[in-house]
Amino acid sequence: MSSLHTTSVRRRRLGVAAAAAGLFATLLAAGPAVATPDPGDRQAKEKISSSQAAEVKSAIQNGEIPGVDEIVHSPNISHLANVPKDLIKGTNSDLAFQGKYAFTGNYDGFRIFDISNPKAPKTVAQVLCPGSQNDVSVSGDLLFLSTDSSRSDNSCNSTSQSATEKSSWEGMKIFDISDKRNPKYVAAVETACGSHTHTLVPERKDVYIYVSSYSPSVSFPDCQPPHDGISVIKVPRKSPEKAAVVNFPVLFPEGGNPGAPTNPGVSATTGCHDITVLPSKDLAAGACMGDGILFDIKDPEHPKVIDQVQDNVNFAFWHSATFNQDANKVVFTDELGGGGAATCNAEIGPNRGADGIYDIVGKGDKRKLVFRSYYKIPRYQADTENCVAHNGSLIPVKGRDIMVQSWYQGGVSVWDFTNSSKPKEIAYFERGPISAETMVGGGTWSAYYYNGHIYSNDMVKGFDVLRLDDRLTDPAKRVRMSELNVQTQPDYFDRSGH
C-alpha cells in the first residue's frame, strides 16, 4: 500500500465552464502561426458566469477546493523550492536534464538551472529567443529548441510574421551548450509547418530529430496539405551547422482520422503532436491528433508504422505518449480542450481529457495496441482552472509501472498503472485556482522525475522542485541518469547500471 492519505480538502462535483462544442473549438483551424492546441501565449482572461463564480467562491470558503494560489499535496510529497520567472517572462513549457542542470523552455527562450542542490536551484543562464512552444532537448554539447510560430527570420531577434508569407520561418534551432553560462546559437533548420514538439534519436556520430507539426493550410506556402508525416532532421555532432532535413516519412498514407463530421468532437489527423522513442527497443509511439501509432525505428531515417488506433468516443486530441519500462504498455494522453478549458469535473467525467492505457501484445511487426483503461486525477477542479492530461515521465521502479504527470491547474499526479486495468493515484501536488472569478490559463506544463526528485515547470508560477517519499517509489532514488529527455525514453536499469 502507498502512503497516500485522503486530503483534508473535500471535493464536490463542480460545474463545467464550457459546453462540449466550445471545448473543441480551440482545436480547429488555427495554423502554425498560433501554435495550437497547447495554451502557450494564449493567456487571455475569460469571464465565467456569475453563478459559476459564486460556486467557485463557495467551494473555496467551504474547504472543498484549495483557495486561490493555496498549495495542497499528499503527505508523501514535499515542496522543496519554487523559482519564479525572471528575465524571460513568457509561458513556461517543457524540461530537459543533463548532469546537475535542468533546462526549462519558455515561449520567450530558455533558462538553465543548476539543480545540484534541489532545495535551492540557481540560475546559470537565460537565453532570450522568442518562438511559440520552445520545446527543449539536450544531447551532449547541443541543445535543440522547437519554434512553432511564424517568425520574420530564424534569428533570436525575429518578430511575428504571418504564415501566409513565403519568407516566414519556423522549425528547429540548435545551440552549443558546452559552456552552460554562455550558450551559442549555431544552426537552424526550417521544417514544414514548424516544430510544435521534437524528439531526439541520438546516434554516436549523429543526432536524428523527429519533428512533430500539424494544421496545414493551402494559404501557408511552407505548410501545405496533406501533412501526413513528420520531418526527420540529421544533425552531425561535430558539424551541427550542417543539420538538414533528410526525410519526410508519411505515417498516414490513407489520411488518418478524418475528424468531424465522420467522428464528431475528434481532431482530424494532419500530422503528429508528439512522439516518444524507446531506442533500446527500436520502438516509438506517436500521439497524432486523431490517432495513436506504434512504429519501428530500427532505421531512424525511415520509421515504419506497426499499428494504428483511434478512440472516437472519448479521445479528442492524442497529445503525448509514454512507454513503460518493459515496452509492453503505452500511456497516451488526451488534451481535450487544448489545455485551455476546465475539463476536470463531473460533467466531463473520468474518461475524457484523460490518459488511455494500452497494452502492446504480439511480436515484431504483428504487435498491436490493445486498450485497457483510462486514468484521470480524482480531484475535481474549479470552473476557472484549465485542467487536462499533459506531460509526464516514468518513475524508475523495477517491477512496477509508475509515472508522474502534469495536469495544468490540476497540478502534479503520481500514479501506478502496473495493473493496466486498475490505475491508481499514489501522490499529488497542486495549487488552488489562479482566480476565483476568471478563467486564467496556467498550471504545470511538464512534471518529470530526475535523479531522485520531481521537477515541474509551471506556466505562470515558475520552476518547482518536489520530493516524493513513498515506499513504492523510494527504490527509484537509487537510479541516476547523466541525461534525460523524456521523449527519448531511456532504459533506466541497463543504461544506468542498476
Side-chain angles (χ1 to χ4, degrees):
M1 299 291 291
S2 83
S3 59
L4 176 63
H5 299 285
T6 303
T7 174
S8 60
V9 180
R10 292 178 294 119
R11 302 292 179 160
R12 66 172 173 176
R13 293 177 173 245
L14 297 174
V16 60
L23 296 180
F24 298 124
T26 61
L27 301 176
L28 303 178
V34 291
T36 58
D38 297 306
D41 50 4
R42 210 169 61 232
Q43 296 297 317
K45 296 182 178 180
E46 299 177 8
K47 284 288 185 184
I48 62 175
S49 70
S50 57
S51 61
Q52 289 170 328
E55 184 179 16
V56 172
K57 290 179 181 178
S58 175
I60 291 173
Q61 290 172 355
N62 294 332
E64 294 163 351
I65 63 172
V68 172
D69 287 338
E70 179 187 358
I71 291 175
V72 296
H73 54 79
S74 55
N76 51 1
I77 288 275
S78 302
H79 187 204
L80 300 186
N82 171 261
V83 184
K85 297 176 189 178
D86 188 19
L87 299 179
I88 299 175
K89 303 294 188 182
T91 299
N92 281 334
S93 58
D94 212 0
L95 296 165
F97 305 90
Q98 186 181 82
K100 66 177 184 178
Y101 299 103
F103 303 82
T104 67
N106 180 287
Y107 273 53
D108 284 343
F110 64 93
R111 188 172 181 179
I112 303 176
F113 287 102
D114 180 335
I115 54 172
S116 53
N117 179 1
K119 294 181 179 179
K122 296 180 180 178
T123 299
V124 174
Q126 299 186 70
V127 176
L128 183 65
C129 196
S132 289
Q133 290 288 117
N134 275 343
D135 189 29
V136 62
S137 295
V138 294
S139 182
D141 289 337
L142 299 177
L143 179 144
F144 305 91
L145 205 63
S146 284
T147 299
D148 192 36
S149 57
S150 294
R151 312 294 298 179
S152 55
D153 55 52
N154 65 8
S155 75
C156 286
N157 297 315
S158 66
T159 56
S160 295
Q161 182 169 291
S162 173
T164 60
E165 297 288 335
K166 176 61 180 173
S167 62
S168 295
W169 182 93
E170 51 187 323
M172 290 300 308
K173 294 170 182 170
I174 304 172
F175 291 78
D176 182 328
I177 54 168
S178 54
D179 180 357
K180 300 295 188 293
R181 296 187 177 278
N182 186 30
K184 296 180 179 178
Y185 184 14
V186 296
V189 180
E190 187 170 15
T191 53
C193 302
S195 175
H196 193 74
T197 65
H198 69 269
T199 305
L200 305 186
V201 187
E203 299 292 322
R204 291 185 178 180
K205 293 194 302 181
D206 306 305
V207 178
Y208 288 96
I209 307 175
Y210 290 164
V211 176
S212 296
S213 56
Y214 51 92
S215 294
S217 169
V218 293
S219 65
F220 299 155
D222 298 320
C223 182
Q224 290 286 298
H227 184 71
D228 294 326
I230 57 174
S231 297
V232 180
I233 297 174
K234 183 178 181 179
V235 185
R237 285 191 185 277
K238 294 184 178 180
S239 303
E241 69 280 0
K242 296 180 180 178
V245 175
V246 293
N247 196 15
F248 187 87
V250 175
L251 303 178
F252 303 97
E254 298 179 0
N257 198 318
T262 304
N263 297 316
V266 178
S267 293
T269 298
T270 59
C272 290
H273 179 277
D274 210 343
I275 292 168
T276 292
V277 298
L278 192 58
S280 64
K281 300 290 194 295
D282 290 326
L283 275 179
C288 303
M289 305 183 73
D291 294 88
I293 59 174
L294 184 71
F295 51 107
D296 184 308
I297 58 168
K298 287 189 183 73
D299 180 352
E301 287 191 26
H302 302 90
K304 180 177 66 174
V305 175
I306 298 172
D307 195 25
Q308 176 182 351
V309 291
Q310 297 177 357
D311 179 346
N312 295 317
V313 176
N314 287 315
F315 260 48
F317 190 94
W318 295 67
H319 176 276
S320 54
T322 302
F323 287 100
N324 70 334
Q325 179 64 33
D326 291 334
N328 57 16
K329 299 175 188 176
V330 182
V331 174
F332 288 103
T333 67
D334 172 25
E335 196 184 35
L336 172 69
T343 72
C344 296
N345 48 46
E347 282 75 6
I348 296 298
N351 298 336
R352 298 168 63 214
D355 296 313
I357 304 166
Y358 287 74
D359 284 352
I360 302 173
V361 300
K363 296 182 179 181
D365 290 350
K366 296 186 181 298
R367 283 172 287 190
K368 297 291 182 182
L369 292 164
V370 179
F371 173 77
R372 295 302 186 203
S373 67
Y374 298 105
Y375 170 76
K376 194 170 184 179
I377 57 172
R379 295 170 307 286
Y380 292 131
Q381 306 294 309
D383 279 351
T384 58
E385 293 181 282
N386 58 309
C387 175
V388 76
H390 212 236
N391 294 344
S393 77
L394 282 188
I395 296 179
V397 178
K398 272 191 174 181
R400 301 202 71 90
D401 299 323
I402 300 174
M403 69 179 290
V404 58
Q405 186 177 4
S406 62
W407 289 78
Y408 291 116
Q409 285 194 69
V412 174
S413 177
V414 178
W415 59 287
D416 188 326
F417 60 105
T418 305
N419 183 337
S420 302
S421 299
K422 295 182 178 179
K424 59 182 179 180
E425 184 173 74
I426 61 176
Y428 72 91
F429 168 90
E430 69 164 299
R431 290 180 169 91
I434 295 174
S435 170
E437 299 179 348
T438 301
M439 168 64 81
V440 181
T444 174
W445 180 288
S446 297
Y448 299 147
Y449 188 91
Y450 177 70
N451 290 355
H453 291 84
I454 293 169
Y455 297 91
S456 166
N457 211 20
D458 188 291
M459 295 193 296
V460 174
K461 301 298 182 181
F463 183 62
D464 287 304
V465 185
L466 309 176
R467 180 180 172 88
L468 174 63
D469 293 293
D470 190 289
R471 69 183 191 87
L472 283 181
T473 59
D474 283 347
K477 295 175 182 178
R478 298 192 293 269
V479 179
R480 286 291 181 267
M481 308 300 299
S482 59
E483 191 170 271
L484 180 63
N485 302 294
V486 167
Q487 288 74 32
T488 305
Q489 216 170 294
D491 186 328
Y492 286 97
F493 303 107
D494 289 348
R495 294 191 175 190
S496 66
H498 291 274

